[in-house]
Coordinates of all heavy atoms in Angstrom, one line a residue:
F948 N 81.0 119.4 121.4 CA 79.8 118.8 122.1 C 79.6 117.3 121.7 O 78.5 116.9 121.6 CB 78.6 119.6 121.8 CG 78.6 120.9 122.6 CD1 79.3 122.0 122.2 CD2 77.9 121.0 123.8 CE1 79.4 123.2 123.0 CE2 77.9 122.2 124.6 CZ 78.6 123.3 124.1
G949 N 80.7 116.6 121.4 CA 80.6 115.2 121.1 C 80.3 114.9 119.7 O 80.6 115.7 118.8
R950 N 79.8 113.7 119.4 CA 79.6 113.2 118.0 C 78.3 112.6 117.9 O 77.7 112.1 118.8 CB 80.7 112.3 117.6 CG 82.1 113.0 117.4 CD 83.1 112.1 116.8 NE 84.3 112.9 116.4 CZ 84.5 113.3 115.2 NH1 83.7 113.0 114.2 NH2 85.6 114.0 114.9
M951 N 77.8 112.6 116.6 CA 76.6 111.9 116.3 C 76.9 110.4 116.2 O 78.1 110.0 116.2 CB 76.1 112.4 114.9 CG 75.5 113.8 115.0 SD 75.1 114.4 113.4 CE 76.6 115.3 113.0
P952 N 75.9 109.5 116.2 CA 76.1 108.1 116.3 C 76.7 107.5 114.9 O 76.6 108.2 113.9 CB 74.7 107.5 116.6 CG 73.8 108.5 116.1 CD 74.5 109.9 116.3
W953 N 77.2 106.3 115.0 CA 77.6 105.6 113.8 C 76.5 105.5 112.8 O 75.3 105.2 113.2 CB 78.2 104.3 114.1 CG 79.6 104.3 114.6 CD1 80.1 104.8 115.7 CD2 80.7 103.8 113.9 NE1 81.5 104.6 115.8 CE2 81.9 104.0 114.7 CE3 80.9 103.1 112.7 CZ2 83.2 103.6 114.3 CZ3 82.2 102.7 112.3 CH2 83.3 102.9 113.1
V954 N 76.8 105.6 111.5 CA 75.8 105.3 110.5 C 76.1 104.0 109.8 O 77.2 103.8 109.4 CB 75.8 106.5 109.4 CG1 74.7 106.2 108.3 CG2 75.4 107.8 110.1
K955 N 75.1 103.1 109.8 CA 75.4 101.8 109.2 C 74.3 101.5 108.2 O 73.1 101.8 108.3 CB 75.3 100.7 110.3 CG 76.2 101.0 111.5 CD 76.0 99.9 112.6 CE 77.0 100.3 113.7 NZ 76.3 100.6 114.9
D956 N 74.7 100.8 107.1 CA 73.8 100.5 106.0 C 74.2 99.2 105.4 O 75.3 99.0 104.8 CB 73.9 101.6 104.9 CG 72.8 101.4 103.9 OD1 72.4 100.3 103.6 OD2 72.4 102.5 103.3
L957 N 73.3 98.2 105.6 CA 73.5 96.8 105.0 C 72.4 96.7 104.0 O 71.2 96.9 104.2 CB 73.3 95.8 106.1 CG 73.2 94.3 105.7 CD1 74.6 93.9 105.1 CD2 72.9 93.4 106.8
S958 N 72.9 96.3 102.8 CA 71.9 96.0 101.7 C 72.3 94.7 101.1 O 73.4 94.2 101.1 CB 72.1 97.1 100.6 OG 71.7 98.4 101.1
A959 N 71.2 94.0 100.5 CA 71.4 92.7 99.9 C 70.5 92.5 98.7 O 69.5 93.2 98.6 CB 71.1 91.6 101.0
N960 N 70.9 91.6 97.9 CA 70.1 91.3 96.7 C 70.3 89.9 96.3 O 71.2 89.2 96.7 CB 70.4 92.3 95.5 CG 71.7 91.9 94.9 OD1 72.7 91.5 95.5 ND2 71.8 92.2 93.6
V961 N 69.3 89.4 95.5 CA 69.4 88.1 94.8 C 69.0 88.2 93.4 O 68.0 89.0 93.1 CB 68.5 87.1 95.6 CG1 67.1 87.5 95.6 CG2 68.6 85.7 94.9
T962 N 69.7 87.6 92.5 CA 69.4 87.7 91.1 C 69.1 86.2 90.6 O 69.9 85.3 90.8 CB 70.6 88.2 90.3 OG1 71.0 89.5 90.8 CG2 70.3 88.3 88.8
W963 N 68.0 86.2 89.9 CA 67.5 84.9 89.4 C 67.6 84.9 87.9 O 66.9 85.8 87.3 CB 66.1 84.6 89.9 CG 65.5 83.3 89.4 CD1 66.2 82.2 89.0 CD2 64.1 83.0 89.1 NE1 65.3 81.2 88.6 CE2 64.0 81.7 88.6 CE3 63.0 83.7 89.3 CZ2 62.8 81.1 88.3 CZ3 61.8 83.2 89.0 CH2 61.7 81.8 88.5
T964 N 68.4 84.1 87.3 CA 68.4 84.0 85.8 C 67.4 82.9 85.4 O 67.6 81.7 85.7 CB 69.8 83.6 85.3 OG1 70.7 84.6 85.8 CG2 69.9 83.5 83.8
L965 N 66.4 83.4 84.7 CA 65.3 82.5 84.3 C 65.7 81.7 83.0 O 66.3 82.3 82.1 CB 64.0 83.2 84.1 CG 63.3 83.8 85.3 CD1 64.0 85.0 85.8 CD2 61.9 84.1 85.1
P966 N 65.4 80.4 82.9 CA 65.7 79.7 81.7 C 64.8 80.1 80.6 O 63.6 79.9 80.6 CB 65.5 78.2 82.1 CG 64.5 78.3 83.3 CD 64.8 79.6 84.0
V967 N 65.4 80.6 79.5 CA 64.7 80.9 78.3 C 65.5 80.3 77.1 O 66.7 80.2 77.2 CB 64.4 82.4 78.1 CG1 63.5 82.9 79.2 CG2 65.7 83.2 78.2
N968 N 64.8 80.1 76.0 CA 65.4 79.5 74.8 C 66.4 80.5 74.2 O 67.5 80.1 73.7 CB 64.4 79.0 73.8 CG 63.6 77.8 74.4 OD1 64.2 77.0 75.2 ND2 62.4 77.6 74.0
T969 N 66.0 81.7 74.1 CA 66.8 82.7 73.4 C 67.0 83.9 74.4 O 66.1 84.3 75.1 CB 66.2 83.2 72.1 OG1 64.9 83.7 72.4 CG2 66.1 82.0 71.1
G970 N 68.1 84.5 74.3 CA 68.3 85.7 75.1 C 68.7 85.4 76.6 O 69.0 84.3 77.0
D971 N 68.5 86.5 77.4 CA 68.9 86.4 78.8 C 67.8 87.1 79.6 O 67.6 88.3 79.4 CB 70.3 87.1 79.0 CG 70.8 87.0 80.4 OD1 70.6 85.9 81.0 OD2 71.4 87.9 80.9
L972 N 67.2 86.4 80.5 CA 66.1 86.9 81.3 C 66.5 86.8 82.8 O 66.7 85.8 83.3 CB 64.8 86.2 81.0 CG 63.6 86.7 81.8 CD1 63.2 88.1 81.5 CD2 62.4 85.8 81.5
K973 N 66.6 88.0 83.4 CA 67.0 88.1 84.8 C 66.0 88.9 85.7 O 65.4 89.8 85.2 CB 68.4 88.7 85.0 CG 69.5 87.9 84.3 CD 70.8 88.6 84.5 CE 72.0 87.9 83.8 NZ 72.2 86.6 84.3
A974 N 65.8 88.5 86.9 CA 65.1 89.2 87.9 C 66.0 89.5 89.1 O 66.4 88.5 89.7 CB 63.8 88.5 88.3
R975 N 66.2 90.7 89.5 CA 67.0 91.1 90.6 C 66.2 91.8 91.6 O 65.6 92.8 91.4 CB 68.2 91.9 90.2 CG 69.2 92.2 91.3 CD 70.4 92.9 90.9 NE 70.2 94.3 90.6 CZ 70.3 94.9 89.4 NH1 70.6 94.1 88.3 NH2 70.0 96.2 89.2
F976 N 66.2 91.2 92.8 CA 65.4 91.8 93.9 C 66.4 92.3 95.0 O 67.3 91.6 95.5 CB 64.5 90.8 94.6 CG 63.6 91.3 95.7 CD1 62.6 92.2 95.4 CD2 63.9 91.0 97.0 CE1 61.8 92.7 96.4 CE2 63.1 91.6 98.0 CZ 62.1 92.4 97.7
S977 N 66.3 93.6 95.3 CA 67.3 94.2 96.2 C 66.6 94.9 97.4 O 65.5 95.4 97.2 CB 68.1 95.3 95.5 OG 68.8 94.8 94.3
V978 N 67.2 94.8 98.5 CA 66.7 95.4 99.7 C 67.8 96.4 100.2 O 68.9 96.0 100.5 CB 66.4 94.4 100.9 CG1 65.8 95.2 102.1 CG2 65.4 93.4 100.4

Side-chain angles (χ1 to χ4, degrees):
F948 286 79
R950 288 189 170 261
M951 287 173 269
W953 277 68
V954 178
K955 304 176 183 117
D956 190 327
L957 173 65
S958 299
N960 74 329
V961 57
T962 302
W963 178 29
T964 301
L965 289 77
V967 292
N968 293 330
T969 59
D971 185 36
L972 180 60
K973 297 180 184 294
R975 183 173 74 248
F976 182 73
S977 303
V978 183

